[in-house]
Amino acid sequence: MITKDSIEQTYCYFHQKWGLYTHLPEGELKDGIKYSISSYVEGMNQDLYARIAEGKANFLTDYTAFEQDMPNAVERLEKLMENL
């Protein structure tokens, strides 16, 4: 079950981390953000994760695809929030 709170909490966390990530130079701080998102995914609402992943394996946990996955995740969460 996906709750309003889980959508809002995940959106806020992802939006904040992605905004910071996009303004950082390459390096350890960016790697730390990738790790924090991957860790968040492990404990987040699994129904919500499945919804935003749209069937993509390793969504947000494959560091090589992180820069493509994160904006998609934020956009999908925004759309879910619009429909609350």
Side-chain angles (χ1 to χ4, degrees):
M1 183 170 111
I2 301 173
T3 66
K4 176 183 174 188
D5 290 342
S6 67
I7 295 169
E8 290 173 343
Q9 178 183 2
T10 303
Y11 172 78
C12 288
Y13 189 75
F14 284 11
H15 186 266
Q16 177 193 40
K17 296 297 182 190
W18 181 239
L20 180 60
Y21 183 92
T22 61
H23 291 94
L24 289 172
E26 291 300 319
E28 289 182 25
L29 291 175
K30 278 191 166 183
D31 290 342
I33 290 174
K34 290 176 184 178
Y35 177 78
S36 71
I37 293 296
S38 181
S39 295
Y40 185 92
V41 163
E42 289 177 15
M44 75 181 278
N45 179 307
Q46 289 303 297
D47 292 333
L48 178 57
Y49 176 75
R51 183 88 175 262
I52 65 172
E54 294 183 349
K56 183 177 181 197
N58 301 316
F59 187 69
L60 297 170
T61 60
D62 175 1
Y63 289 179
T64 62
F66 183 81
E67 292 183 12
Q68 292 79 40
D69 289 349
M70 262 313 268
N72 288 332
V74 171
E75 180 182 327
R76 291 168 188 164
L77 288 162
E78 285 174 351
K79 287 181 182 174
L80 289 172
M81 287 181 44
E82 289 172 2
N83 295 319
L84 293 177

